[in-house]
């Protein structure tokens, strides 16, 4: 997903002279082709997140479309005020490419985990928040970023995630994608969790529970029509690789509460508990520890269905 | 060694001329209309903005977003009354607008906003943002092969922020000779003397070490400012002008007084005292 995203920055830069790339001391070799062919539009700055956001704002004020790339947690926590004021208050078309959303950097520990990034970006006016599920979807999404007039936070997975949106031809910011139809329960998920939602839905179907999966690659602006339609099912489940506080589950709940439309057996929010992870290991191991792999997801849904019967 | 205030450093600083006093009257108008404002922080800036807008920058008040204008960012947004006064004097908006300062429907808030005020390049208020934005603008000019100048005016307290120094390193790395930064060095930040709150000395040495062609001047001497600001000073590097200024300049009872950094609920008799003090300064 990351490779696709960066390659597309290069492709977009070749066809549109407004595109510039700003990195923050990334690994060697990143976008070497762009650096060689368009040295005036390739910037590898130092470890200075506050500065690169401000610099990108200055470039955007002058008509450029900067794609700023660094690790997700650094591009949100360290420079949050620059994002709020320089980008969102000015409503500038800067794209934040956030590497390692969620638990991708599990072995590196809590300093490198982006587990509240959706919450803190989606609450800023003018911001758009996107978390594609796979490389194919990333490619379709990137093509839409040239002319979107607002800042975008782009949450990247680790890469190599299974392609679950293969049946899609286009990407529209703010539009949901139905990955599976179901009549009893709807799972609304984002990012790489949509693949796990499909596996959990399959497991539940063996028990005779019909589960639909709606993938929300755009968390903001939200596809409220799809969310309200999903709420007509018996129970609505939200699933995310993010703290339960403030993320997709919160955003979906806000829509339902505002519309006074709560499913018969309520909303089940699945995500990370309110704690910094106590372990290292892999992304998959941490997801399992939080009950966010398909068997854990299916168990949580079965339990909730029984308790709320 | 005790830190000297700028009027002790420059005892022969020229008296304020009519232009400088007119601009200050506009600041007092806003203070009167709004009942509040950063008086001290704005009065120290008047000559810097006056020289940039009267003598140096290419700009068109009738066409604020003119592509070929030079860019001027007020990074210490709380000094906005100085910017507003100069913009009003140039006709970017009516001088009457100053009386609406901080009122609900006004375009003029306690910190400047790009989307509201013609001629305002960046919304600022939280400190330490302007230099990075200026770096981006100067790089943009380079990509477009334009000789645009970018001015960024910062406060002395403001440069406590680490983000300023991140941007300084980048400006130097990119050899942004089109970028001219100014520090309004009035020696007082909100709580008290900069030397006591967080000493920024040796200030000129710091900027030189960060790769800026650095000069110091009396920030109320219009002729000196013209010499420092009329052209970029470094051929392959950004320029830093350290403007030694007096907080509250022109209002004798407010000069070098931390209490006048910001005032709210300013009573009418104090407003009149400010107009009177300005008249006496002539």
């Amino acid at each position: 997903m990351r490779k696709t995203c960066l390659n597309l920055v290069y492709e977009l830069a070749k066809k549109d002279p407004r595109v510039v790339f700003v990195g923050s001391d990334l690994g060697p070799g990143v976008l070497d082709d762009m650096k060689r062919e368009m040295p005036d539009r390739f910037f590898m700055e130092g470890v200075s997140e506050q500065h690169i956001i401000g610099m990108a704002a200055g470039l955007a004020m002058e008509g450029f479309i900067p794609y700023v790339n660094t690790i997700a947690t650094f591009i949100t926590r360290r420079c949050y005020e620059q994002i709020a004021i320089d980008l969102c208050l000015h409503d500038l078309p800067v794209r934040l490419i956030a590497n390692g959303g969620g638990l991708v950097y599990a072995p590196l520990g809590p300093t490198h985990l982006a587990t509240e990034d959706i919450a803190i970006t989606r609450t800023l006016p003018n911001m758009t928040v996107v978390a594609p599920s796979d490389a194919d979807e990333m490619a379709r999404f990137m093509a839409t970023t040239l002319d979107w007039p607002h800042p975008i936070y782009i949450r990247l997975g680790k890469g190599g995630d299974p392609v679950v949106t293969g049946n899609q031809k286009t990407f529209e910011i703010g539009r949901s994608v139905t990955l599976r139809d179901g009549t009893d329960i709807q799972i609304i998920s984002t990012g790489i969790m949509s693949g796990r939602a499909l596996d959990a839905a399959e497991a539940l179907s063996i028990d005779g529970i019909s589960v639909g999966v709606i993938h929300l690659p755009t968390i903001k602006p939200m596809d409220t029509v799809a969310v309200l339609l999903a709420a007509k099912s018996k129970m609505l489940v939200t699933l995310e690789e993010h703290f339960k506080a403030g993320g997709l589950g919160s955003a979906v709940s806000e829509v339902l509460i505002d519309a006074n439309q709560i499913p018969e057996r309520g909303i089940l929010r699945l995500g990370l508990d309110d704690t910094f992870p106590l372990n290292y290991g892999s992304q998959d191991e941490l997801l399992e520890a939080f009950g966010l792999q398909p068997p854990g997801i299916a168990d949580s849904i079965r339990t909730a269905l029984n308790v709320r019967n | 060694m005790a830190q000297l205030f700028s009027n002790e450093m420059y005892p022969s600083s020229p008296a304020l001329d009519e232009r400088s006093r007119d601009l200050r009257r506009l600041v007092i108008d806003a203070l009167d209309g709004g009942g509040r404002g950063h008086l001290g922080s704005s009065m120290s800036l008047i000559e810097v903005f006056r020289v940039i807008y009267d003598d140096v920058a290419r700009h068109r008040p009738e066409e604020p977003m003119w592509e070929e204008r030079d860019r001027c960012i007020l990074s210490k947004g709380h000094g906005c009354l100085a910017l507003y006064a100069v913009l009003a004097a140039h006709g970017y908006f009516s001088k009457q607008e100053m009386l609406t300062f901080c009122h609900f429907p006004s375009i003029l808030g306690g910190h400047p906003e790009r989307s509201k005020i013609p001629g305002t390049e960046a919304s600022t208020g939280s400190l330490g943002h302007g230099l990075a934005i200026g770096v981006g603008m100067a790089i943009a000019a380079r990509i477009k092969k334009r000789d645009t100048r970018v001015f960024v005016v910062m406060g002395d307290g403001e440069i406590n922020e680490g983000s300023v120094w991140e941007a300084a390193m980048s400006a130097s790395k990119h050899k942004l000779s089109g970028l001219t930064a100014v520090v309004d060095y009035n020696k007082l930040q909100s709580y008290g003397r900069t030397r006591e709150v967080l000493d920024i000395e040796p200030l000129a040495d710091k900027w030189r070490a960060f790769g800026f062609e650095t000069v110091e001047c009396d920030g109320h001497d219009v002729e000196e400012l013209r010499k420092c600001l009329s052209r970029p000073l470094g051929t392959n590097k950004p320029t830093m002008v350290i403007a030694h200024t007096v907080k509250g300049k022109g209002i004798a009872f407010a000069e070098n007084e931390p209490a006048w950094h910001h005032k709210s609920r300013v009573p009418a008799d104090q407003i009149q005292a400010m107009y009177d003090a300005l008249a006496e300064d002539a």
Side-chain angles (χ1 to χ4, degrees), chain A residues 81-92:
Chain A
E81 189 180 81
Q82 279 75 15
I83 295 174
I85 294 172
D86 300 351
L87 305 189
C88 292
L89 177 60
H90 291 94
D91 198 6
L92 296 170

Side-chain angles (χ1 to χ4, degrees), chain A residues 206-244:
Chain A
I206 296 166
D207 301 346
I209 305 168
S210 172
V211 180
V213 176
I214 299 163
H215 169 53
L216 283 192
T218 314
I219 295 143
K220 182 182 181 180
M222 183 165 280
D223 187 344
T224 54
V225 172
V227 167
L228 290 173
L229 197 63
K232 292 186 190 305
S233 62
K234 214 181 292 179
M235 188 169 83
L236 195 148
V237 179
T238 61
L239 176 62
E240 62 197 303
E241 187 189 15
H242 183 277
F243 286 139
K244 285 185 214 169

Side-chain angles (χ1 to χ4, degrees), chain B residues 77-142:
Chain B
H78 60 285
C80 60
L81 286 176
L83 174 66
Y84 299 168
V86 171
L87 291 176
H90 276 274
Y92 279 89
F93 49 81
S94 156
K95 289 177 183 172
Q96 291 300 308
E97 200 70 39
M98 297 297 278
L99 296 167
T100 71
F101 179 61
C102 283
H103 285 252
F104 187 80
S106 179
I107 62 167
L108 304 177
H111 296 93
E113 288 193 65
R114 176 181 164 104
S115 63
K116 294 192 177 130
I117 310 166
T120 298
E121 296 290 351
S123 303
T124 55
S126 178
L127 298 172
H129 288 241
L131 192 58
I133 294 172
V135 167
M137 288 179 169
I139 290 174
R142 173 175 293 172

Side-chain angles (χ1 to χ4, degrees), chain A residues 20-23 40-45 55 59, chain B residues 139 143 174:
Chain A
V20 297
F21 175 81
V22 183
D40 60 333
R41 290 190 282 143
F42 174 94
F43 302 96
M44 188 55 71
E45 297 297 295
M55 174 179 152
L59 283 156
Chain B
I139 290 174
I143 299 172
H174 292 293

Side-chain angles (χ1 to χ4, degrees), chain A residues 71-243:
Chain A
I71 291 175
T73 186
F74 304 152
I75 210 172
T76 49
R77 288 179 183 157
R78 188 52 168 261
C79 49
Y80 189 59
E81 189 180 81
Q82 279 75 15
I83 295 174
I85 294 172
D86 300 351
L87 305 189
C88 292
L89 177 60
H90 291 94
D91 198 6
L92 296 170
V94 173
R95 286 70 179 98
L96 303 176
I97 302 173
N99 291 256
L103 304 171
V104 168
Y105 291 117
L108 303 185
T111 57
H112 281 55
L113 302 181
T115 44
E116 75 292 304
D117 55 331
I118 292 173
I120 64 176
T121 50
R122 81 174 179 90
T123 44
L124 294 172
N126 298 324
M127 181 59 95
T128 294
V129 181
V130 177
S133 59
D134 52 58
D136 286 14
E137 184 169 58
M138 175 62 79
R140 291 190 298 274
F141 158 66
M142 284 297 282
T144 70
T145 60
L146 272 185
D147 294 318
W148 186 253
H150 312 290
I152 310 177
Y153 177 71
I154 306 168
R155 192 189 215 224
L156 298 193
K158 186 170 64 179
D161 303 284
V163 174
V164 296
T165 60
N167 61 341
Q168 297 294 307
K169 296 279 179 286
T170 58
F171 187 100
E172 189 184 326
I173 290 175
R175 185 174 60 82
S176 65
V177 177
T178 299
L179 296 180
R180 179 188 172 108
D181 291 321
T183 51
D184 297 328
I185 290 173
Q186 297 293 335
I187 301 178
I188 296 182
S189 57
T190 191
I192 59 144
M193 295 309 287
S194 292
R196 287 161 177 83
L198 284 172
D199 291 345
E202 185 61 29
L204 289 164
S205 74
I206 296 166
D207 301 346
I209 305 168
S210 172
V211 180
V213 176
I214 299 163
H215 169 53
L216 283 192
T218 314
I219 295 143
K220 182 182 181 180
M222 183 165 280
D223 187 344
T224 54
V225 172
V227 167
L228 290 173
L229 197 63
K232 292 186 190 305
S233 62
K234 214 181 292 179
M235 188 169 83
L236 195 148
V237 179
T238 61
L239 176 62
E240 62 197 303
E241 187 189 15
H242 183 277
F243 286 139

